[in-house]
RNA sequence: GGCGUCGUGGCCAAGUGGUAAGGCAAGGGUCUGCAAAACCCUUAUUCAGGGGUUCGAAUCCCCUCGACGCCUCCA
């Protein structure tokens, strides 16, 4: 039984889908006006891991991730660049999709865009007005009427009065109540706009997600996800809109990931402390980013530093050691020892599932994997053959695959490989003649080429590092 | 000011009543010409601090201190 921490109830709950065996999951994507950063990658990875695990447990997952391609920031950036806003956002959509693929994130089953959902958004707003949950202001804006929604604040645990005390709320002249938020914004001169019953304009930020949810997944969904910075106001407003419109409970489980932190602060475009996904991938591999996410709880802040990145890289290396082949000269394990390895594989699998079932406890799941790593390596040291290692290794592959880890050994060009082999042959000649200085010199040379070597009874092994 | 999350060894981190998982780092050992990798051993009488509940608390309650997030665009 899978348990999920639900932001709505602030409790772990048993996971039960609306429809047996099927999961409808909507995750807030990004506003596309700039390069995405590793914080976005974290969020995408968290929900990719959740999706992969749910699929592993037998669910069919409909995974919707939206692109906000109509927004103030996009318009400003497009104006600055003298580019059409939709062309600009399209460019960043393609870039983001490629980056997600590079991170080994499964493509969502649908990726709706605001600009392509306009008729439904307008219809949604009309519906809210009909139900008196919203009103059109004389200037062409349309607002959601917060005081008319008795349940407003249930996700974020806020009271309308408390928020007003914050005094940071801008009182728009056209609003009836300071907490009301825009569903439709009248177009300013020269801005991109769409025709609507209220004149030319464009949607507010929150309504798009309500509309796209309805379009892609229907009135009720199982999982709604995103970063915890979206809890208020975005998700609060989404609930308000969707539930006012349908009269039904919207999402069963609200899942929010913690923020990625750089130097003790949240990484965000407005703070300017950004590491882009592009730059990260130049320095480190996709697995390193994923490992960083796996090492901590998805709900907690993720400390992004050189130190944690190094640790993630080393931890990956450790997982990889278990997947390496048996020693060529191995004499085989006794039946007893071989069956002990098999039972470790089985108990690791169970521990892994138990950990992941408990609100996707990836650090605990990893701990289970390391036990299997140790068992495999010990078996190899004790002379296991490849055939004896293989079942345990394939269990390890299966489980790391569920987490989305690729654990590929690094590759070099075949030209370089020839060079490496020549050097190793030369070194082994030197070693035969006990010319240790020459031998070590060659090893240093190889190291500079990015090659690690290991001498063993079966000869010299090497790999790119 | 309000709402929320949280404070566990050098770093990351699991652990919601029964006596501190795991990874990285560090030290010692086996192996090796030396390394590397693997394996073995060692490293928190203690869980921000102070009270309280309990036979028993990192885990529950109260207070204090501190960090972070949200209350404005934000994954």
């Amino acid at each position: 039984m899978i348990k999920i921490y639900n932001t709505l109830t602030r409790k772990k709950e048993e996971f039960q889908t609306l429809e047996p065996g099927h999961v409808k999951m909507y995750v807030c994507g990004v506003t596309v006006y700039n390069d995405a950063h590793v914080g976005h990658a974290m969020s995408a990875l968290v929900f990719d891991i959740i999706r992969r695990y749910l699929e592993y447990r037998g669910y069919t997952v409909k995974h919707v991730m939206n692109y906000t391609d109509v927004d103030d920031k996009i318009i400003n950036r497009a104006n600055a660049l003298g580019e059409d806003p939709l062309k600009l956002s399209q460019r960043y959509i393609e870039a983001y999709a490629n980056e997600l693929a590079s991170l080994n994130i499964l493509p969502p089953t649908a990726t709706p865009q605001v600009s392509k959902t306009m008729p439904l958004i307008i219809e949604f707003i009309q519906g809210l007005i009909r139900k008196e949950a919203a009103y059109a202001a004389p200037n062409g804006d349309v607002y959601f009427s917060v005081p008319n929604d008795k349940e407003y604040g249930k996700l974020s645990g806020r009271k309308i009065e408390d928020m007003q005390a914050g005094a940071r709320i801008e009182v728009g002249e056209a609003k009836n109540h300071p907490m009301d938020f825009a569903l439709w914004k009248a177009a300013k001169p020269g801005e991109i706009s769409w025709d609507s019953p209220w004149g030319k304009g464009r949607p507010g930020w929150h309504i798009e997600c309500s509309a796209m949810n309805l379009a892609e997944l229907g009135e009720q969904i199982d999982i709604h996800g995103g970063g915890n910075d979206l809890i208020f106001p975005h998700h609060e407003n989404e609930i308000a809109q969707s539930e006012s419109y349908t009269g039904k409970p919207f999402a069963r489980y609200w899942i929010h990931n913690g923020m990625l932190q750089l130097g003790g602060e949240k990484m965000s475009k407005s703070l300017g402390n950004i590491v882009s996904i592009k730059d990260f991938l130049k320095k480190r591999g996709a697995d390193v980013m994923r490992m960083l996410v796996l090492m901590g709880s998805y709900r907690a802040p993720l400390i992004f530093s050189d130190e944690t990145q190094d640790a993630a890289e080393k931890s990956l290396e450790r997982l990889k050691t278990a997947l390496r082949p048996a020693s060529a000269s191995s004499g085989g394990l006794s039946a007893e020892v071989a069956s002990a390895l098999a039972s470790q594989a089985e108990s690791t699998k169970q521990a892994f599932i138990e950990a992941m079932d408990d609100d996707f406890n990836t650090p605990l799941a990893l701990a289970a994997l390391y036990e299997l790593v140790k068992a495999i390596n010990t078996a190899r040291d004790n002379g296991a053959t490849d055939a004896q290692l293989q079942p345990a290794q394939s269990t390890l592959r299966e489980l790391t695959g569920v987490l989305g880890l690729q654990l590929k050994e690094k590759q070099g060009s075949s030209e370089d490989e020839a060079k490496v082999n020549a050097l190793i042959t030369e070194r082994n000649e030197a070693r035969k003649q006990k010319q240790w200085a020459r031998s070590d010199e060659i090893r240093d040379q190889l190291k500079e080429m990015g090659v690690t070597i290991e001498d063993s009874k079966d000869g010299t092994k090497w790999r790119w590092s």
Coordinates of all heavy atoms in Angstrom, one line a residue, chain B residues 10-29:
Chain B
rG10 P 30.8 16.9 14.0 OP1 31.6 17.1 15.2 OP2 29.6 17.7 13.8 O5' 31.7 17.0 12.8 C5' 32.3 18.3 12.5 C4' 32.6 18.3 11.0 O4' 33.5 17.2 10.6 C3' 31.4 18.1 10.1 O3' 30.6 19.3 10.0 C2' 32.0 17.7 8.8 O2' 32.5 18.7 8.1 C1' 33.1 16.8 9.3 N9 32.8 15.4 9.4 C8 32.7 14.6 10.5 N7 32.3 13.4 10.3 C5 32.1 13.3 8.9 C6 31.7 12.3 8.0 O6 31.4 11.1 8.3 N1 31.7 12.7 6.7 C2 32.0 13.9 6.3 N2 31.9 14.2 5.0 N3 32.4 15.0 7.1 C4 32.4 14.6 8.4
rC11 P 29.1 19.2 9.7 OP1 28.6 20.6 9.8 OP2 28.5 18.1 10.5 O5' 29.0 18.8 8.2 C5' 29.3 19.8 7.1 C4' 29.1 19.1 5.8 O4' 29.9 17.9 5.7 C3' 27.6 18.6 5.6 O3' 26.7 19.6 5.2 C2' 27.9 17.6 4.5 O2' 28.1 18.2 3.2 C1' 29.2 16.9 4.9 N1 29.0 15.8 5.8 C2 28.6 14.6 5.2 O2 28.4 14.5 4.0 N3 28.4 13.5 6.0 C4 28.6 13.5 7.3 N4 28.3 12.4 8.0 C5 28.9 14.8 7.9 C6 29.2 15.8 7.2
rC12 P 25.2 19.5 5.6 OP1 24.6 20.7 5.1 OP2 25.1 19.0 7.0 O5' 24.7 18.2 4.7 C5' 24.5 18.4 3.3 C4' 24.1 17.1 2.7 O4' 25.0 16.1 2.9 C3' 22.8 16.5 3.3 O3' 21.6 17.1 2.8 C2' 22.9 15.1 2.7 O2' 22.6 15.1 1.3 C1' 24.4 14.8 2.9 N1 24.6 14.1 4.2 C2 24.3 12.8 4.3 O2 23.9 12.2 3.3 N3 24.5 12.1 5.5 C4 24.9 12.8 6.5 N4 25.0 12.1 7.7 C5 25.2 14.2 6.5 C6 25.0 14.8 5.3
rA13 P 20.4 17.2 3.9 OP1 19.2 17.7 3.1 OP2 20.8 17.8 5.1 O5' 20.1 15.7 4.2 C5' 19.5 14.8 3.2 C4' 19.5 13.4 3.7 O4' 20.8 13.0 4.3 C3' 18.6 13.1 4.9 O3' 17.3 12.9 4.4 C2' 19.2 11.8 5.4 O2' 18.9 10.7 4.6 C1' 20.7 12.1 5.3 N9 21.2 12.6 6.6 C8 21.6 13.9 6.8 N7 22.1 14.1 8.0 C5 22.0 12.8 8.6 C6 22.4 12.3 9.9 N6 22.9 13.1 10.8 N1 22.2 11.0 10.1 C2 21.7 10.2 9.1 N3 21.3 10.6 7.9 C4 21.5 11.9 7.7
rA14 P 16.0 12.9 5.3 OP1 14.9 13.1 4.5 OP2 16.3 13.7 6.5 O5' 16.0 11.4 5.9 C5' 15.6 10.3 4.9 C4' 15.7 9.0 5.6 O4' 17.0 8.8 6.2 C3' 14.7 8.8 6.8 O3' 13.4 8.6 6.4 C2' 15.4 7.6 7.5 O2' 15.0 6.4 6.8 C1' 16.8 7.8 7.3 N9 17.5 8.4 8.4 C8 17.9 9.7 8.7 N7 18.5 9.8 9.9 C5 18.5 8.6 10.4 C6 18.9 8.0 11.6 N6 19.5 8.8 12.6 N1 18.7 6.7 11.9 C2 18.1 6.0 11.0 N3 17.6 6.3 9.8 C4 17.8 7.7 9.6
rG15 P 12.2 9.2 7.2 OP1 11.0 8.7 6.6 OP2 12.5 10.6 7.4 O5' 12.4 8.5 8.6 C5' 12.1 7.1 8.8 C4' 12.6 6.6 10.1 O4' 14.0 6.9 10.2 C3' 12.0 7.3 11.3 O3' 10.8 6.6 11.7 C2' 13.1 7.0 12.4 O2' 13.1 5.7 12.9 C1' 14.4 7.2 11.5 N9 14.9 8.6 11.6 C8 14.6 9.6 10.7 N7 15.2 10.7 11.1 C5 15.8 10.4 12.3 C6 16.6 11.2 13.2 O6 16.9 12.4 13.0 N1 17.1 10.5 14.3 C2 16.8 9.2 14.5 N2 17.3 8.7 15.6 N3 16.1 8.4 13.7 C4 15.7 9.1 12.6
rU16 P 9.4 7.4 11.8 OP1 8.6 7.0 10.7 OP2 9.8 8.9 12.0 O5' 8.8 6.8 13.1 C5' 9.3 7.2 14.4 C4' 8.2 7.9 15.2 O4' 8.1 9.3 14.8 C3' 6.8 7.3 14.9 O3' 6.6 6.2 15.8 C2' 5.9 8.5 15.3 O2' 5.6 8.6 16.7 C1' 6.8 9.7 14.9 N1 6.4 10.4 13.7 C2 5.6 11.6 13.9 O2 5.3 12.0 15.0 N3 5.2 12.2 12.7 C4 5.5 11.8 11.5 O4 5.1 12.5 10.5 C5 6.3 10.6 11.4 C6 6.7 10.0 12.5
rG17 P 5.5 5.8 16.7 OP1 5.1 4.4 16.5 OP2 4.5 6.9 16.5 O5' 6.1 5.9 18.1 C5' 7.4 6.5 18.3 C4' 7.9 6.1 19.7 O4' 7.1 6.7 20.7 C3' 7.9 4.6 20.0 O3' 9.1 4.1 19.7 C2' 7.6 4.6 21.5 O2' 8.7 4.1 22.2 C1' 7.4 6.0 21.9 N9 6.5 6.4 22.9 C8 5.1 6.4 22.9 N7 4.6 6.8 24.1 C5 5.7 7.1 24.9 C6 5.8 7.7 26.2 O6 4.9 8.0 26.9 N1 7.1 7.8 26.6 C2 8.2 7.5 25.8 N2 9.4 7.7 26.3 N3 8.1 7.0 24.6 C4 6.9 6.9 24.2
rG18 P 9.4 2.8 18.9 OP1 9.9 3.1 17.6 OP2 8.2 2.0 19.1 O5' 10.6 2.1 19.8 C5' 11.8 2.9 20.0 C4' 12.5 2.2 21.2 O4' 11.6 2.2 22.3 C3' 12.9 0.8 20.9 O3' 14.3 0.8 20.8 C2' 12.4 0.0 22.2 O2' 13.5 -0.5 22.9 C1' 11.6 1.0 23.0 N9 10.3 0.6 23.4 C8 9.2 0.3 22.6 N7 8.1 0.1 23.3 C5 8.5 0.3 24.6 C6 7.7 0.3 25.8 O6 6.5 0.1 25.9 N1 8.5 0.6 26.9 C2 9.8 0.8 26.9 N2 10.4 1.1 28.1 N3 10.6 0.9 25.8 C4 9.8 0.6 24.7
rU19 P 15.1 -0.4 20.2 OP1 14.7 -0.6 18.8 OP2 14.9 -1.5 21.2 O5' 16.6 0.1 20.3 C5' 16.9 1.4 19.8 C4' 17.4 2.3 20.9 O4' 16.4 2.2 22.0 C3' 18.7 1.9 21.6 O3' 19.6 2.8 21.2 C2' 18.4 2.0 23.1 O2' 19.3 3.0 23.7 C1' 17.0 2.5 23.2 N1 16.2 2.0 24.3 C2 16.2 2.7 25.5 O2 16.8 3.7 25.6 N3 15.4 2.2 26.5 C4 14.6 1.0 26.4 O4 14.0 0.7 27.4 C5 14.7 0.3 25.2 C6 15.5 0.8 24.2
rA20 P 20.8 2.4 20.3 OP1 21.0 0.9 20.2 OP2 22.0 3.2 20.7 O5' 20.3 2.9 18.9 C5' 21.3 3.1 17.9 C4' 20.7 4.0 17.0 O4' 20.7 5.3 17.5 C3' 21.6 4.2 15.7 O3' 21.1 3.2 14.8 C2' 21.3 5.6 15.2 O2' 20.2 5.5 14.3 C1' 20.8 6.3 16.5 N9 21.6 7.4 17.0 C8 22.5 7.3 18.0 N7 23.1 8.5 18.3 C5 22.5 9.3 17.4 C6 22.6 10.7 17.1 N6 23.4 11.5 17.8 N1 21.9 11.2 16.1 C2 21.1 10.4 15.4 N3 20.9 9.1 15.6 C4 21.6 8.7 16.6
rA21 P 22.2 2.4 14.1 OP1 22.1 1.1 14.6 OP2 23.5 3.1 14.0 O5' 21.5 2.4 12.6 C5' 22.3 2.6 11.5 C4' 21.5 2.1 10.3 O4' 20.3 2.9 10.2 C3' 22.2 2.2 9.0 O3' 23.1 1.1 8.9 C2' 21.0 2.1 8.1 O2' 20.4 0.8 8.0 C1' 20.0 3.1 8.8 N9 20.2 4.5 8.4 C8 20.8 5.5 9.1 N7 20.9 6.6 8.5 C5 20.3 6.4 7.3 C6 20.0 7.2 6.2 N6 20.3 8.4 6.1 N1 19.4 6.6 5.1 C2 19.1 5.3 5.2 N3 19.3 4.4 6.2 C4 19.9 5.0 7.2
rG22 P 24.6 1.4 8.5 OP1 25.2 0.1 8.4 OP2 25.1 2.4 9.4 O5' 24.4 2.0 7.0 C5' 23.8 1.2 6.0 C4' 23.5 2.2 4.8 O4' 22.5 3.2 5.3 C3' 24.6 3.0 4.4 O3' 25.5 2.2 3.5 C2' 23.9 4.1 3.6 O2' 23.4 3.7 2.4 C1' 22.8 4.4 4.6 N9 23.2 5.4 5.6 C8 23.5 5.2 6.9 N7 23.9 6.3 7.5 C5 23.8 7.3 6.6 C6 24.0 8.7 6.7 O6 24.4 9.3 7.7 N1 23.8 9.3 5.5 C2 23.3 8.7 4.3 N2 23.2 9.5 3.3 N3 23.1 7.4 4.2 C4 23.3 6.7 5.4
rG23 P 27.0 2.6 3.3 OP1 27.7 1.6 2.6 OP2 27.5 3.0 4.7 O5' 26.9 4.0 2.5 C5' 26.5 3.9 1.1 C4' 26.5 5.3 0.5 O4' 25.6 6.1 1.3 C3' 27.8 6.0 0.6 O3' 28.7 5.6 -0.4 C2' 27.4 7.4 0.5 O2' 27.0 7.7 -0.9 C1' 26.1 7.4 1.3 N9 26.4 7.8 2.7 C8 26.5 6.9 3.8 N7 26.8 7.5 4.9 C5 27.0 8.8 4.6 C6 27.3 10.0 5.3 O6 27.5 10.0 6.6 N1 27.4 11.1 4.6 C2 27.2 11.2 3.2 N2 27.3 12.4 2.7 N3 26.8 10.2 2.5 C4 26.7 9.0 3.2
rC24 P 30.3 5.6 -0.2 OP1 30.9 5.1 -1.4 OP2 30.6 5.0 1.1 O5' 30.6 7.2 0.0 C5' 30.5 8.0 -1.2 C4' 30.7 9.5 -0.7 O4' 29.8 9.8 0.3 C3' 32.1 9.7 -0.1 O3' 33.1 9.8 -1.0 C2' 31.8 11.0 0.6 O2' 31.8 12.1 -0.3 C1' 30.4 10.8 1.1 N1 30.4 10.3 2.5 C2 30.7 11.3 3.5 O2 31.0 12.4 3.2 N3 30.8 10.9 4.8 C4 30.5 9.6 5.1 N4 30.6 9.2 6.4 C5 30.2 8.6 4.1 C6 30.2 9.0 2.8
rA25 P 34.6 9.2 -0.6 OP1 35.5 9.4 -1.7 OP2 34.4 7.9 0.0 O5' 35.0 10.2 0.6 C5' 35.3 11.6 0.3 C4' 35.5 12.3 1.7 O4' 34.4 12.2 2.5 C3' 36.6 11.7 2.5 O3' 37.9 12.1 2.1 C2' 36.3 12.3 3.9 O2' 36.6 13.7 4.0 C1' 34.8 12.2 3.9 N9 34.3 10.9 4.4 C8 33.9 9.8 3.8 N7 33.6 8.8 4.5 C5 33.9 9.2 5.8 C6 33.8 8.6 7.1 N6 33.4 7.4 7.3 N1 34.2 9.4 8.1 C2 34.6 10.6 7.9 N3 34.7 11.3 6.8 C4 34.3 10.5 5.7
rA26 P 39.2 11.2 2.3 OP1 40.4 11.9 1.7 OP2 38.8 9.8 1.8 O5' 39.3 11.1 3.8 C5' 39.7 12.2 4.6 C4' 39.8 11.9 6.1 O4' 38.4 11.5 6.6 C3' 40.6 10.7 6.4 O3' 42.0 11.0 6.4 C2' 40.1 10.3 7.8 O2' 40.6 11.2 8.8 C1' 38.6 10.5 7.6 N9 37.9 9.3 7.2 C8 37.5 9.0 5.9 N7 36.9 7.8 5.8 C5 36.9 7.3 7.1 C6 36.5 6.1 7.7 N6 35.9 5.1 7.0 N1 36.6 6.0 9.0 C2 37.3 6.9 9.7 N3 37.7 8.1 9.3 C4 37.5 8.2 8.0
rG27 P 43.1 9.8 6.0 OP1 44.4 10.5 5.9 OP2 42.5 9.1 4.8 O5' 43.1 8.9 7.2 C5' 43.6 9.3 8.5 C4' 43.5 8.3 9.5 O4' 42.0 8.0 9.8 C3' 43.9 6.9 9.1 O3' 45.3 6.7 9.2 C2' 43.2 6.0 10.1 O2' 43.7 6.1 11.4 C1' 41.8 6.7 10.1 N9 41.0 6.1 9.1 C8 40.7 6.5 7.8 N7 39.9 5.7 7.2 C5 39.6 4.7 8.0 C6 38.9 3.5 7.9 O6 38.2 3.1 6.9 N1 38.9 2.7 9.0 C2 39.6 3.0 10.2 N2 39.5 2.1 11.2 N3 40.3 4.1 10.3 C4 40.3 4.9 9.2
rG28 P 46.1 5.6 8.3 OP1 47.5 5.8 8.5 OP2 45.5 5.7 6.9 O5' 45.7 4.3 8.9 C5' 46.2 3.9 10.2 C4' 45.6 2.6 10.6 O4' 44.1 2.7 10.7 C3' 45.8 1.4 9.6 O3' 47.1 0.9 9.6 C2' 44.7 0.4 10.1 O2' 45.1 -0.2 11.3 C1' 43.6 1.4 10.4 N9 42.7 1.5 9.2 C8 42.7 2.6 8.3 N7 41.9 2.4 7.2 C5 41.4 1.1 7.5 C6 40.4 0.3 6.7 O6 39.9 0.6 5.7 N1 40.2 -0.9 7.4 C2 40.8 -1.3 8.5 N2 40.4 -2.5 9.0 N3 41.6 -0.6 9.2 C4 41.9 0.6 8.7
rG29 P 47.7 0.2 8.3 OP1 49.1 -0.2 8.6 OP2 47.4 1.1 7.2 O5' 46.8 -1.1 8.1 C5' 46.9 -2.2 9.1 C4' 45.9 -3.3 8.8 O4' 44.6 -2.6 8.7 C3' 46.0 -4.0 7.5 O3' 47.0 -5.0 7.5 C2' 44.6 -4.6 7.4 O2' 44.4 -5.7 8.2 C1' 43.8 -3.4 7.9 N9 43.3 -2.6 6.7 C8 43.7 -1.3 6.4 N7 43.1 -0.9 5.3 C5 42.2 -1.9 5.0 C6 41.3 -2.0 3.9 O6 41.1 -1.2 3.0 N1 40.7 -3.2 3.9 C2 40.9 -4.2 4.8 N2 40.2 -5.4 4.6 N3 41.7 -4.2 5.8 C4 42.4 -3.0 5.8

